[in-house]
Amino acid sequence: MANASPQQGFWGDLRHDMPAAIGLCVILLIVLAAVFAPLLAPYDPAAQSLIKRLAPPVWMTRGSWDHVLGTDNLGRDVLSRVIWGARVTLLIGAATCLIAATLGTLVGLWAGYRGGRTDSVLMRLVDIQISFPGILLILLVVGVIGPGVGTLIGVLAITNWMVYARLVRGIVSSTRQTAHVEAAEIVGCRPSRVIFRHILPNLVSPLLTLLILEFTNIVLAEAAVSFLGFGVQPPQTSWGLDVASGRDYLFIAWWLVTFPGLAIVATVLSINLFAGWLRVTTDPEEREKRFARSLAARRRRAVRKGANT
Amino acid sequence: MSPTLSVRDLAVDYELSRAGLFRRRRMVTAVSGVSFDIAPGETLGLVGESGSGKTTVGRAILRRIPTSAGQIRFEGQDITDLAGEPLRRLRAQMQIVLQDPYTSLNPRMKVGDIVAEPLVVHGLAPSREAAREAVAALLARVGMPADAAGRYPHSFSGGQRQRIGIARALAMKPSLIVADEPVSALDVSVRAQVVNLMQDLQRDLGLSLLFIAHDLAVVRHISHRVAIMYAGRIVELAPRDAIYDRPIHPYTQALLSAVPVPSPTVQRSRRRIVHPGESVDIANPPSGCRFHPRCPLATERCRDDAPPLADRGAGHFAACWNSGA
């Protein structure tokens, strides 16, 4: 092969993976919508109008262009609420996942690398926290400190880091035995270098997978806490809160649940598509295989085109 | 000349099961009473069957596993209990070539970074440019193409990967290299190349080499002296030709007779010495000489006393009560 190691740029590489490119575009759209919510949203998401309550979306018989996605039980515009809800949902989801993953990964790395007593102590800590009902801890902390987005992020991170610790610790204690880690230690690498340079890169793909799974969990957990009145406080709104509060009207006004729900699905799906690509890109071997495949496909296309003319 | 490496009465214990609330810690002695020297520029071949403790000896010398008795001196310095930063600095001078070239290179690092890593972690690469030059010289030394530095390990064959592993071991200009079965994972066709490379490097750079293997032909080719291990002990240690031509210990004789000779007439006339019985379960080793349950020469004394590794003249050592020199 002429060019064994493809040195294309980020975009050039991404262009060849359509689903991932679409995923990234959707993520960017949602983030932009969240950032520019005040400009995009047609109404104040908290403005109530009891006359217009439970108006259906525009394409239904009673629908109107005033409220494209209809209104909720208090006459608030669903579209505006979805756009504004992206802010809190993305903030809580991303911040919680990052904090929990960082904390869990560090604990897992340390436990797996040191082994022995350190490992036992840290993992028992994880066991204790897992056996303790998360929702109870959340209610307790929120009850004492008071609700708010910051509190929610902190509390959700504290109740969700254990999964990462478990996963990372398992992989580390097996990776630790591999020959290239032993070679790094004999070469004279300090423990921190062994951990971050030789062990951590092997964790990228499982961690990415777990992060995405957990993101959905966090969105739903936030919804549950908000539903109980301990999370996001009105007039602030989030997708989870809307899904939870729209549940009561499911049979007479399906759009209350559906649109914020679709927003969650779209976000998670596009992150997933993009992460699949990212996982391959961070692995040199997989990356070259993909490159070879796309090269072969392009060549096949060229041959077919040549045969047609 | 003082030896590069000097090992005296080395013993290593492994933990079979950890101490629990109601049970005692169970230990197994993997290696005991191992003593040998390696002179500067000398290759010592360490041979034994699986489980005989040869890899354990290599790891103990590199201070990868704790020793339970004995002393290891490296260039006159006692390194038996070295730890922390002094041990890390010592690592610059003794390196390893690992058995499996497919797992011993980090798949996510470029070859250039792998080879440069010792220089970087020991602060000997002042600039990227200097590191690149050093890497290029090392790769050329082990016969790798110059463009290898920019590629990942998975694009190389087993033999080439082992060369990369050797380049990494050479980066710090060590005085001792422990080669732990460096060719047993390779195809027969590339084995000779890698062995010859190691032999050339050893001669040109004046390295001391501890060559651990179970392939007797390879060991004969590369070693100056050979030590035979059985069940965690050295049973015979002698200059290469002495041990291959005049083996003393019954185990060595049996081992050597198992090597086929590439000539049908000679092979047909040879007698294969087979000692009945299983290899030793080192969790429950026999008393006295560990070979006595299988040994044709065994007497009462072998059952009670372990024979010392005694000098039989001309640097030929054997641990046997009964076989004459």
Side-chain angles (χ1 to χ4, degrees):
Chain A
M1 198 189 303
N3 184 5
S5 121
Q7 293 302 333
Q8 313 175 10
F10 178 83
W11 293 112
D13 214 9
L14 188 59
R15 217 183 43 205
H16 297 297
D17 191 342
M18 242 1 210
I22 293 169
L24 183 64
C25 288
V26 174
I27 297 170
L28 288 178
L29 272 180
I30 293 170
V31 170
L32 285 177
V35 172
F36 294 109
L39 301 176
L40 289 173
Y43 296 93
D44 179 349
Q48 304 180 2
S49 166
L50 288 180
I51 310 163
K52 291 180 177 169
R53 71 192 288 261
L54 296 179
V58 60
W59 59 86
M60 290 180 66
T61 39
R62 285 190 312 109
S64 78
W65 279 103
D66 292 345
H67 298 282
V68 178
L69 298 182
T71 58
D72 71 358
N73 53 320
L74 295 173
R76 296 174 295 193
D77 183 47
V78 171
L79 177 63
S80 307
R81 288 184 72 77
V82 168
I83 294 174
W84 276 91
R87 284 193 154 186
V88 174
T89 301
L90 290 184
L91 177 68
I92 291 180
T96 307
C97 280
L98 283 182
I99 296 172
T102 311
L103 183 67
T105 305
L106 287 178
V107 170
L109 278 172
W110 193 240
Y113 185 76
R114 299 292 299 193
R117 191 156 292 169
T118 319
D119 184 27
S120 312
V121 170
L122 285 175
M123 284 301 115
R124 289 305 81 72
L125 205 73
V126 168
D127 288 345
I128 290 169
Q129 174 125 40
I130 284 179
S131 61
F132 197 85
I135 196 81
L136 201 63
L137 189 70
I138 293 173
L139 297 186
L140 196 74
V141 174
V142 175
V144 173
I145 301 180
V149 171
T151 323
L152 204 56
I153 291 173
V155 151
L156 285 173
I158 286 173
T159 49
N160 281 288
W161 63 275
M162 301 85 73
V163 205
Y164 300 95
R166 275 253 176 100
L167 175 88
V168 168
R169 182 254 176 195
I171 301 171
V172 170
S173 46
S174 62
T175 314
R176 190 159 165 43
Q177 307 300 324
T178 57
H180 77 257
V181 173
E182 183 179 21
E185 283 176 336
I186 292 178
V187 150
C189 293
R190 291 191 177 84
S192 60
R193 187 178 168 96
V194 174
I195 291 176
F196 290 110
R197 197 80 208 261
H198 295 274
I199 296 179
L200 192 59
N202 294 297
L203 293 166
V204 170
S205 31
L207 266 182
L208 270 177
T209 313
L210 187 63
L211 263 174
I212 290 153
L213 289 174
E214 278 292 298
F215 181 81
T216 353
N217 268 346
I218 298 292
V219 169
L220 297 178
E222 178 258 309
V225 179
S226 300
F227 181 68
L228 291 173
F230 286 91
V232 176
Q233 298 296 306
Q236 251 186 339
T237 181
S238 76
W239 295 340
L241 183 62
D242 277 359
V243 169
S245 56
R247 230 175 33 170
D248 297 340
Y249 297 89
L250 193 59
F251 292 106
I252 48 171
W254 52 266
W255 53 92
L256 298 196
V257 179
T258 307
F259 294 113
L262 277 178
I264 297 176
V265 170
T267 311
V268 172
L269 187 65
S270 50
I271 293 178
N272 217 334
L273 290 175
F274 181 62
W277 175 84
L278 201 62
R279 200 160 44 222
V280 173
T281 307
T282 50
D283 185 331
E285 188 165 357
E286 289 296 319
R287 193 172 166 196
E288 275 174 34
K289 272 190 211 155
R290 184 178 62 191
F291 178 74
R293 265 200 304 273
S294 74
L295 208 67
R298 237 175 296 161
R299 227 173 261 149
R300 263 200 311 277
R301 271 200 299 274
V303 166
R304 215 174 300 145
K305 214 178 276 169
N308 288 342
T309 51
Chain B
M1 199 155 31
S2 66
T4 306
L5 180 79
S6 156
V7 177
R8 288 289 168 272
D9 295 320
L10 177 72
V12 177
D13 294 336
Y14 283 123
E15 209 169 48
L16 266 188
S17 59
R18 251 198 262 173
L21 205 50
F22 300 109
R23 57 160 195 238
R24 286 182 44 214
R25 194 154 90 125
R26 286 189 64 210
M27 303 292 279
V28 55
T29 304
V31 164
S32 63
V34 166
S35 303
F36 59 85
D37 289 340
I38 302 181
E42 183 191 38
T43 301
L44 177 71
L46 191 58
V47 183
E49 57 194 67
S50 307
S52 61
K54 53 192 193 303
T55 298
T56 302
V57 169
R59 294 293 195 280
I61 290 165
L62 289 166
R63 302 284 295 101
R64 283 283 301 159
I65 46 177
T67 56
S68 47
Q71 193 188 41
I72 304 164
R73 298 181 75 85
F74 177 73
E75 296 188 329
Q77 183 197 1
D78 185 350
I79 61 163
T80 322
D81 298 312
L82 216 57
E85 191 58 22
L87 176 62
R88 202 181 72 80
R89 255 180 279 124
L90 174 79
R91 292 260 153 88
Q93 291 152 50
M94 37 204 302
Q95 276 303 316
I96 193 166
V97 175
L98 289 160
Q99 175 175 7
D100 184 355
Y102 290 93
T103 58
S104 62
L105 306 175
N106 189 341
R108 285 167 192 261
M109 280 169 80
K110 286 185 177 167
V111 168
D113 294 329
I114 292 173
V115 176
E117 182 153 48
L119 301 170
V120 173
V121 297
H122 288 287
L124 287 183
S127 66
R128 283 189 151 272
E129 201 47 51
R132 200 174 305 142
E133 273 170 32
V135 167
L138 284 163
L139 288 175
R141 192 74 194 74
V142 297
M144 290 291 288
D147 67 342
R151 289 153 70 182
Y152 286 97
H154 61 81
S155 51
F156 294 100
S157 69
Q160 287 176 311
R161 286 179 190 217
Q162 200 58 295
R163 286 170 193 267
I164 296 167
I166 293 170
R168 170 174 61 189
L170 289 176
M172 295 302 296
K173 301 188 174 64
S175 43
L176 173 71
I177 288 185
V178 175
D180 186 6
E181 308 218 18
V183 294
S184 34
L186 301 180
D187 288 347
V188 180
S189 51
V190 295
R191 249 180 225 188
Q193 297 172 12
V194 173
V195 170
N196 286 336
L197 170 68
M198 295 193 76
Q199 201 170 21
D200 291 348
L201 290 169
Q202 191 264 336
R203 195 167 43 223
D204 299 350
L205 305 174
L207 294 167
S208 298
L209 191 60
L210 178 63
F211 193 91
I212 301 169
H214 54 245
D215 184 331
L216 288 158
V218 169
V219 169
R220 179 170 201 172
H221 182 75
I222 197 170
S223 307
H224 299 117
R225 287 194 302 150
V226 176
I228 310 282
M229 282 191 81
Y230 181 79
R233 295 193 177 152
I234 291 183
V235 295
E236 191 160 359
L237 172 70
R240 173 188 55 186
D241 292 336
I243 211 161
Y244 279 86
D245 297 339
R246 298 178 300 279
I248 292 177
H249 198 281
Y251 177 69
T252 314
Q253 289 166 354
L255 203 61
L256 290 174
S257 82
V259 181
V261 176
S263 152
T265 26
V266 179
Q267 176 67 21
R268 237 170 271 134
S269 71
R270 272 159 47 103
R271 200 170 53 89
R272 171 101 151 80
I273 308 169
V274 179
H275 297 314
E278 294 282 307
S279 184
V280 171
D281 169 19
I282 56 165
N284 302 297
S287 61
C289 175
R290 291 188 168 186
F291 193 57
H292 86 257
R294 302 169 68 188
C295 184
L297 306 175
T299 57
E300 282 295 310
R301 193 182 186 190
C302 301
R303 199 174 313 150
D304 300 332
D305 294 331
L309 196 63
D311 195 348
R312 305 297 183 94
H316 199 138
F317 296 82
C320 184
W321 293 121
N322 299 317
S323 65

